[in-house]
Amino acid sequence: MRETAVGPRVLLKRLRELMQEPLEPQERLDRIVRDIASNMVAEVCSLYVLRADSVLELYATEGLNPKAVHLAQLRLGQGLVGTIAASARSLNLSNAQEHPAFAYLPETGEEIYSSFLGVPVLRAGRTLGVLVVQNKTMRTYRDDEVEALETTAMVIAEMIATGDLARLTRPGLELDLKRPASFGGVSFNDGIGLGHVVLHEPRIVVTNLFNEDSEDEVRRLAAALGSLRLSIDDMLERRDVAFEGEHREVLEAYRMFANDRGWVRRLEEAIRNGLTAEAAVEKVQSDMRARMMHMTDPYLRERMSDFDDLANRLLRQLMGRGPDDVAASLPKDAIIVARSMGAAELLDYPRDKLRGLVLEDGAATSHVVIVARAMGIPVAGQVKGAVSMAENGDAIIVDGEEGTAHLRPQPDLEAAYAEKVRFRARRQELYRELRNKPSVSADGVPVDLLMNAGLMVDLPQLAESGASGIGLFRTELQFMVASTFPRAEAQEELYRDVLDAARGKPVTFRTIDIGGDKVLPYFKNTAQEENPALGWRAIRLTLDRPGLLRTQIRALLKAAGGRELKVMLPMVTELGEIVQAREIIDREVRHLSRFAHLLPTSLKLGAMLEVPSLLFQLDELMKAVDFVSVGSNDLFQFIMAVDRGNTQVSDRFDPLSIPFLRVLKQIADASRRNHTPVTLCGELAGKPISAMALLGLGFRSISMSPASIGPVKAMLCELPIAELEAFFEDNLPAPANGIPMRALLQAFADDRSIPL
Ligand code: PEP
Ligand code: MG
C-alpha cells in the first residue's frame, strides 16, 4: 500500500501524540483540526458534534471563522453536514455549492471553498458528529485521504464517547450520546425496573487504537481470523443437536462472513492505515452498521446482527478475553440488555442484583422469559434497537407492564416511574397483609390459591406469596435450562429440595412436558413437525421413550419417601395413556419396595385436561384419576384453534366468552358429580377477573404465578361467590343479547366494589 506524506499513518501518529498530551478538551480539538488540515493540505478542517436536540454544533475549526465555534449549527438532515450525519455516509465533492443539499452558513464565511470532504463520526454504528475538510480549489479527495479522515473520526468518536467533550457543552444542552430514548416492545413479564444497563454481550472497548507495525498487526488479524474460522467449523462439524435448525443457520452465516474477502480486505486496509487490528474491526463494523441501520429488510437486519456477533467474537480472539466475570462487576440494580439469550445464561446472573431484562428478540413463551418470570423480574421483549443505543452503565427503566424501555430517562419520566414503583410497592404491602388471612370468599367459601413453579429460584415465593401449595411444578424447566439430560440424581435432588422447601404444603409435579414449543437443544426429534403443538410432545413422547418417564418417576418416588406425592400427566388425549403411565409407576413402586426404599405415604395420580377429546368423556376421566388439572392455555388454544405463541391471533378471542366458559362449567360440574378434585393452572387463574369467573363456575382450587396470588386474593376476599354462581345460572345458558361476558363480569365486580 502506498504511503504518502499526507498518508493516514503520519496523521494517526500525530493524533496519538496529541491524545497523550495533557491538554484541555477545546485545545485538544483545536490542535486536532489544525493538524488534520495541515496533513491533508486543506484550508479548512471542522468538527461538528451532534447534540441531543438533533442539532449539529460546530465544535472546532481551522480555517473558518473561529467566532463561529459553538455558535454555528445545522439540524440533522440540513446542509451537507446534516446530510452526512443523517445518512451516516461520507460525501466527497469537488464543487460543494452545486450539491442540492448545500446550505450556506454566513457566520462561518465558507462560501469561498469549492471542494468538500465530510465523514461521519461513528461509534458502534451511531453517528456522533461530522468531520469536514475543505479546499478552495476544485479537487476530488483520494481514497486514502477519505480513509484517513474516517479513521481520524473514529478517534474523535472515542473522545466523545468517553465524555471528554462534555465540559464543552453549554448548560442545558447535551450531546446526542446522552440523548434519552424510548423503545416500544411487547410485555413479557409484568413489573417495573429502574436501574443501569448491563449489556449481556458487553461491547468491547478498544483502547489501543494505533499500531506500531502494520505487518505485525495484519499477521495478528490473520491468526485470530484463523482460530475464529476453526472454532466455527468445529461447532458445525460437531453435528451436535444443539446446533440444529436456526442455530445451524446462524453458524452457517458466521462461516460465510468469516470467509468474506471484502470484509477481510477492509480490515487489512484499516490496519495498514495505522490502526491496531482491534480498532480496525471496530471501524469496519461501525461503518457497516451505520450503512445497514437504514435498511428495512428484516432478513438483512438479522444478518447484520449475526455479523455483529461475529465481530465481537473476533475482538475477543484478538484481545484474548473470555466472557467477563459478570457477577463481580455488576451494578446492584442491573437491567440486562440483550439481543437474545439462553435461559441458563440468565441464571448465571446473581438474582439479588437483577432489576429487569430487555430483549431485542424473544417470544413470551421462550425459555429465557419463562425463567425470568420464575425469577420475578420485569421483561420487555422485541425492543428493537436497544442494544446499539445503550452503553454499559446508562440509566434505564424497563416497564414490563407496557413492554417498553426508557434509556437515559429525563428526570420527570424517572420521577413518574419512581412514583409508579412506590404505588405498586404500597399495593404489594396490602397483598402482604392479606398473606396470612384465610383464603375465603366474602360469603365464607374456602378456596385454594396455589402457585406455579418450575425451578428452585421460584421457591422462596411460596412463603412470600402466601400460596397454599404448588399446583403445578413444571419439571421440564430443569431439562430446558440444562445442556444435557439431567441425571437421575439431579432430578431426585431437585424434587427433594422442592418438597423440603414446601414444608408440608402440597406440591403437584407434572411429568416432563417437552415438545411443542418446549424444545430441548440436546434432544432431537428426527421428524420435521409441521404442527408441533399437535405433535410428538408431553405424555405422547414420554410413553414412546419410557426410559425417560421411568427415570423421572423413580426420582420422584425416592424424593418423596415418607411424604405425600402428587404426580400429573400433561396433554392426556385418551384414557389409555393414563393406564399406561400408571403401569410404569406401579412397576417403579414395586422395584423400589423390593430394594426396601422408603416410599411415599400416599401417591396421587392426576391428568392435565388440555385436549378437547377429554371433554367428551369427563365422567370416565374423573373416575380414572385422583385429580384433574385444567391446562387452560393449551385447552383454549385447541378449542379455539389459535396458536398460543402467535401474537397475531393469540389475543383474538376471549377466554371469557360463552363457549369457553361453558366448557369450564362442564368440567367443574363433572368434578363435583364424581367427587374428583379439579384445579385450573393456566394463565386464566392469575388474572383477577378470570379467576373470579372460575370461582363462579365452581372451581375451588386455582394455581397461578406467585405474583398473582395477592391480586387474586384481594378479589376473593370481596367476592360473594353464591351471587356470582346465580349470575352464571342466569347468563350462561341464555346470554344477555350482544353484551360480552367480560363486560358483564366487570359490571358485576364494579357494582360490588370487588377489586379486579
Ligand atoms: C396450560 O397449558 O395451561 C399449562 C398450564 O401448561 P403449559 O403452560 O406449561 O403448557
Ligand atoms: Mg399445557
Side-chain angles (χ1 to χ4, degrees):
M1 176 120 195
R2 185 167 53 103
E3 203 145 279
T4 61
V6 295
R9 289 197 66 79
V10 180
L11 186 51
L12 282 185
K13 188 161 172 290
R14 263 308 287 150
L15 279 179
R16 173 162 49 180
E17 288 158 11
L18 267 180
M19 297 302 277
Q20 278 156 3
E21 278 182 46
L23 296 173
E24 284 297 307
Q26 186 65 53
E27 179 161 17
R28 200 190 308 277
L29 282 187
D30 293 345
R31 301 263 294 265
I32 288 176
V33 289
R34 197 181 318 148
D35 277 8
I36 297 173
S38 96
N39 269 278
M40 296 187 69
V41 201
E43 280 105 23
V44 172
C45 175
S46 318
L47 170 69
Y48 295 82
V49 177
L50 184 60
R51 294 192 325 223
D53 55 358
S54 296
V55 166
L56 289 143
E57 177 181 318
L58 182 66
Y59 258 59
T61 185
E62 169 70 13
L64 297 185
N65 183 358
K67 291 209 175 79
V69 170
H70 295 299
L71 289 178
Q73 335 190 317
L74 285 149
R75 278 193 322 278
L76 201 62
Q78 185 195 10
L80 297 176
V81 169
T83 303
I84 293 166
S87 65
R89 281 169 184 256
S90 304
L91 272 182
N92 184 354
L93 308 168
S94 58
N95 189 351
Q97 289 165 38
E98 273 184 358
H99 193 282
F102 180 81
Y104 172 56
L105 293 180
E107 62 271 36
T108 60
E110 66 176 337
E111 75 276 23
I112 47 173
Y113 301 100
S114 294
S115 20
F116 173 106
L117 168 62
V119 301
V121 175
L122 296 173
R123 186 162 187 275
R126 290 180 61 193
T127 304
L128 303 183
V130 175
L131 186 61
V132 174
V133 290
Q134 289 171 284
N135 281 78
K136 284 182 184 156
T137 52
M138 276 211 218
R139 55 166 299 202
T140 305
Y141 299 91
R142 291 188 316 269
D143 283 354
D144 62 332
E145 291 173 306
V146 178
E147 181 80 23
L149 202 62
E150 284 178 355
T151 307
T152 314
M154 192 176 154
V155 178
I156 293 172
E158 271 319 302
M159 277 181 76
I160 299 176
T162 51
D164 257 16
L165 305 190
R167 271 191 286 151
L168 303 182
T169 45
R170 267 173 290 151
L173 292 175
E174 277 207 279
L175 295 187
D176 186 60
L177 190 77
K178 294 288 163 214
R179 176 163 54 98
S182 289
F183 304 86
V186 178
S187 160
F188 280 173
N189 195 35
D190 192 13
I192 309 282
L194 276 76
H196 291 90
V197 169
V198 172
L199 288 169
H200 177 57
E201 288 273 339
R203 196 163 296 132
I204 294 173
V205 181
V206 178
T207 42
N208 190 7
L209 294 171
F210 312 108
N211 77 44
E212 304 278 347
D213 179 337
S214 294
E215 291 317 310
D216 256 7
E217 285 298 294
V218 170
R219 274 193 292 278
R220 229 161 57 77
L221 174 74
L225 272 169
S227 349
L228 182 69
R229 288 183 190 127
L230 273 182
S231 72
I232 297 170
D233 287 349
D234 193 43
M235 282 191 270
L236 274 164
E237 270 154 31
R238 252 193 277 155
R239 298 211 163 278
D240 207 320
V241 283
F243 298 114
E244 285 309 319
E246 263 180 52
H247 235 97
R248 194 174 180 89
E249 259 174 48
V250 171
L251 283 177
E252 298 276 8
Y254 282 0
R255 172 146 76 181
M256 194 179 80
F257 290 138
N259 288 295
D260 182 301
R261 297 182 65 85
W263 185 46
V264 176
R265 192 174 31 76
R266 282 197 296 281
L267 291 173
E268 288 176 354
E269 214 168 271
I271 293 176
R272 293 212 161 90
N273 283 336
L275 291 182
T276 56
E278 291 88 340
V281 174
E282 190 160 289
K283 174 179 186 300
V284 171
Q285 196 57 14
S286 206
D287 291 350
M288 280 198 32
R289 279 186 124 243
R291 258 162 236 160
M292 313 258 297
M293 210 80 136
H294 302 278
M295 277 179 339
T296 46
D297 182 332
Y299 176 79
L300 289 178
R301 289 183 73 103
E302 191 63 18
R303 293 285 79 83
M304 188 61 220
S305 300
D306 293 341
F307 213 166
D308 267 347
D309 289 351
L310 187 77
N312 249 328
R313 275 169 193 250
L314 183 56
L315 279 179
R316 288 219 179 85
Q317 286 278 359
L318 283 164
M319 298 174 97
R321 273 224 243 149
D324 291 351
D325 179 8
V326 285
S329 54
L330 217 59
K332 62 181 187 318
D333 55 1
I335 293 186
I336 311 295
V337 179
R339 187 181 154 213
S340 60
M341 73 197 290
E345 289 175 297
L346 181 61
L347 286 168
D348 282 343
Y349 290 97
R351 170 65 192 94
D352 59 332
K353 289 183 171 176
L354 287 189
R355 294 289 175 275
L357 175 64
V358 176
L359 294 172
E360 286 209 356
D361 292 347
T365 49
S366 61
H367 309 164
V368 63
V369 175
I370 292 176
V371 171
R373 224 174 270 147
M375 293 166 95
I377 55 174
V379 188
Q382 294 175 22
V383 183
K384 299 293 177 202
V387 170
S388 69
M389 290 289 281
E391 296 279 341
N392 263 336
D394 278 348
I396 187 171
I397 297 171
V398 51
D399 182 339
E401 194 179 322
E402 301 284 331
T404 54
H406 306 279
L407 196 56
R408 303 178 284 268
Q410 304 269 33
D412 52 347
L413 187 70
E414 201 165 317
Y417 267 103
E419 181 49 40
K420 200 165 169 178
V421 167
R422 274 193 294 276
F423 173 76
R424 292 171 70 102
R426 277 196 298 276
R427 222 171 40 189
Q428 286 305 324
E429 191 52 44
L430 288 179
Y431 297 150
R432 251 194 300 278
E433 283 167 19
L434 285 179
R435 193 166 58 189
N436 299 320
K437 279 186 74 175
S439 183
V440 175
S441 71
D443 54 349
V445 180
V447 174
D448 258 342
L449 300 181
L450 303 154
M451 70 171 230
N452 296 344
L455 293 167
M456 274 313 283
V457 290
D458 302 336
L459 290 174
Q461 310 252 29
L462 186 53
E464 281 161 30
S465 67
S468 56
I470 296 177
L472 165 65
F473 190 88
R474 292 181 162 102
T475 61
E476 65 274 8
L477 291 197
Q478 183 189 23
F479 288 69
M480 281 160 61
V481 299
S483 49
T484 57
F485 272 115
R487 298 169 54 83
E489 297 75 27
Q491 293 182 43
E492 185 185 331
E493 189 182 319
L494 172 67
Y495 307 148
R496 179 168 287 119
D497 288 347
V498 170
L499 289 167
D500 288 348
R503 296 162 176 247
K505 287 185 177 176
V507 179
T508 304
F509 291 96
R510 175 172 75 184
T511 61
I512 46 172
D513 182 9
I514 48 173
D517 65 327
K518 296 173 188 165
V519 283
L520 305 183
Y522 48 87
F523 181 66
K524 193 170 159 196
N525 180 358
T526 40
Q528 275 289 337
E529 297 196 318
E530 275 199 28
N531 289 306
L534 308 179
W536 195 51
R537 51 176 293 202
I539 187 74
R540 303 169 185 184
L541 186 153
T542 44
L543 286 178
D544 289 353
R545 293 278 182 281
L548 261 179
L549 189 57
R550 261 201 309 271
T551 307
Q552 182 173 36
I553 296 291
R554 191 175 297 181
L556 283 165
L557 288 167
K558 284 162 103 176
R563 319 185 245 207
E564 177 185 66
L565 176 62
K566 292 178 80 179
V567 177
M568 70 179 169
L569 309 170
M571 283 286 292
V572 171
T573 309
E574 57 177 25
L575 303 185
E577 290 163 332
I578 302 170
V579 175
Q580 271 179 279
R582 201 186 281 281
E583 277 166 13
I584 292 178
I585 295 172
D586 289 347
R587 208 165 53 211
E588 284 311 310
V589 169
R590 283 197 300 276
H591 174 84
L592 289 183
S593 45
R594 205 174 314 133
F595 290 96
H597 276 283
L598 181 62
L599 288 171
T601 48
S602 79
L603 198 169
K604 298 227 161 62
L605 179 64
M608 296 272 299
L609 202 172
E610 313 185 86
V611 180
S613 63
L614 293 186
L615 296 174
F616 305 94
Q617 41 186 336
L618 278 173
D619 290 317
E620 294 92 328
L621 169 70
M622 298 286 169
K623 290 189 175 71
V625 289
D626 300 309
F627 64 94
V628 165
S629 187
V630 182
S632 57
N633 304 338
D634 276 314
L635 187 59
F636 185 70
Q637 118 163 311
F638 296 133
I639 293 265
M640 306 306 255
V642 275
D643 181 347
R644 61 191 266 193
N646 177 347
T647 46
Q648 247 178 330
V649 292
S650 55
D651 290 333
R652 195 180 180 95
F653 306 110
D654 191 352
L656 297 186
S657 58
I658 294 289
F660 200 60
L661 290 172
R662 285 184 184 157
V663 165
L664 294 170
K665 177 91 170 63
Q666 282 175 27
I667 298 169
D669 289 350
S671 139
R672 271 197 194 157
R673 247 191 338 267
N674 292 281
H675 310 287
T676 305
V678 66
T679 298
L680 185 141
C681 60
E683 297 303 310
L684 270 189
K687 308 213 170 61
I689 187 165
S690 46
M692 179 182 86
L694 291 171
L695 302 179
L697 294 168
F699 285 85
R700 294 292 175 264
S701 169
I702 50 179
S703 190
M704 62 204 84
S705 67
S708 294
I709 301 267
V712 168
K713 194 164 180 182
M715 174 277 296
L716 172 70
C717 294
E718 302 301 324
L719 174 70
I721 289 190
E723 281 180 41
L724 187 56
E725 283 180 333
F727 163 90
F728 275 128
E729 290 299 328
D730 291 343
N731 288 285
L732 212 48
N737 245 351
I739 307 175
M741 273 309 247
R742 181 177 289 274
L744 291 177
L745 286 164
Q746 183 69 50
F748 177 94
D750 292 347
D751 289 348
R752 293 161 182 80
S753 306
I754 299 169
L756 294 186

